[in-house]
Amino acid sequence: MVALLMFAAVCCAAPAGNVISAYVALETGGQEGGIAEGGSAADIPPRMLTAYNNAVQQAGKYVPKCRGMSWPILAGIAKVESNHAIGRNIADNGDIRPKIYGVLLNGSGAGGNTTAVADTDGGRWDGTAAGERAVGPFQFLPSTWQSIGKDANGDTVTDPHNADDAALGAAIYMCGNGRNLTQRTQLKSAILQYNHSSAYVANVLGWIDQYTAAATGPNLKNLSGKARAVIEAALSQRGVPYSWGGGNAKGRSYGICCSPGGKSGASIKGFDCSGLTQYAYAKVGISLPRLAADQAGVGQRIPASRGPSALKPGDLVFYATAPGHDATIYHVGIYLSGGQMINAARPGTVVRLDAVNAMSGYAGGARLL
């Protein structure tokens, strides 16, 4: 009961099952993949984005049955694996220096590895014959690279430390024997190859959804009045960091300690989910309660049974640990259109566009406008 009370106290972390764990840290150069503000193409080094787009164009040559490969998919993987090699020098030919190495997989426990992996490349790609370590912006093991590595930039070398080669290898790896990556289940299966963890899949999918939303861009031309004002207010905060307990009708603010996952917002000036909705609706003179569960009692309730297709731009979107029981609502977003919402998702992220199905426990919506 104490845990439930703590969870309901302030919006709006994900349920415990969706808390993102730490992944194997990168060993060189302190590159640990911080949060890119906004999650758009502007957050990706231009040479890396070029590599992602080139890989999409070339993938069909090697995996002709693959469907749905796109640069946001590659960007989602590379974001989590290396933060797009940000902080490295990326040459015109795509070579990345200094090279990106993961921790030595010797079972020591460093970086979360507990199983020793024997050397397969004599140190050619990972710089050591003492064992294996993941390499490059997509963090391939040398043994995996042997099977999927291709020369994408025409220099006759298949190098996982080259942006073009690595991106093409990742596209081939994700495509498998011909997946349809427009289908969520097949996309999830492809991501699981990288890390057999539901938390990892959720993290990567969140970035893929965000990059996809940024690539298409919100269309506001048919919106007017208060709905447009609310959405524009929320969109103006894209890239602002998530802060547990942060934000209110006046704007971003420092949060409090601590989320169910132990994350404090006390040193972060930003928004949590209900702080963002308070801010956006205040722009049209609507005062909302602080907690997501209480916000569900404002306006016209839209039952979950009607599905997301019943939502209109500007509606609040709710998520609950036990859908049908509003007291268990843990999260709220603002519906945009086309199955997308403006979302302050969880600690470690930023205000961004997400798919409505990116969060678990869809609990319907509320119409206030």
Side-chain angles (χ1 to χ4, degrees), residues 104-108 113-119 130-132:
L104 182 64
L105 301 177
N106 58 3
S108 67
N113 86 92
T114 56
T115 303
V117 180
D119 176 67
E132 293 278 76

Side-chain angles (χ1 to χ4, degrees), residues 80-104:
V80 174
E81 295 295 339
S82 72
N83 197 25
H84 307 298
I86 290 173
R88 263 64 175 182
N89 178 63
I90 309 169
D92 290 344
N93 71 346
D95 286 345
I96 298 170
R97 298 295 184 270
K99 296 178 179 179
I100 303 173
Y101 297 117
V103 297
L104 182 64

Side-chain angles (χ1 to χ4, degrees), residues 17-110:
N18 283 346
V19 174
I20 304 303
S21 60
Y23 303 113
V24 175
L26 298 175
E27 189 174 63
T28 61
Q31 185 79 22
E32 294 195 13
I35 299 300
E37 293 204 351
S40 69
D43 308 315
I44 303 172
R47 186 61 183 83
M48 292 300 293
L49 185 58
T50 295
Y52 304 157
N53 279 304
N54 287 344
V56 171
Q57 295 174 14
Q58 295 182 56
K61 175 181 176 182
Y62 301 98
V63 198
K65 293 182 179 180
C66 184
R67 297 290 180 270
M69 175 52 65
S70 64
W71 76 256
I73 292 176
L74 298 177
I77 292 287
K79 169 62 187 175
V80 174
E81 295 295 339
S82 72
N83 197 25
H84 307 298
I86 290 173
R88 263 64 175 182
N89 178 63
I90 309 169
D92 290 344
N93 71 346
D95 286 345
I96 298 170
R97 298 295 184 270
K99 296 178 179 179
I100 303 173
Y101 297 117
V103 297
L104 182 64
L105 301 177
N106 58 3
S108 67

Side-chain angles (χ1 to χ4, degrees), residues 10 243-248 251-256 270-272 275-276 290:
V10 180
S243 175
W244 179 264
N248 52 48
R252 70 184 82 174
S253 68
Y254 289 101
I256 63 174
F271 291 98
D272 67 10
L276 179 65
R290 184 62 181 85

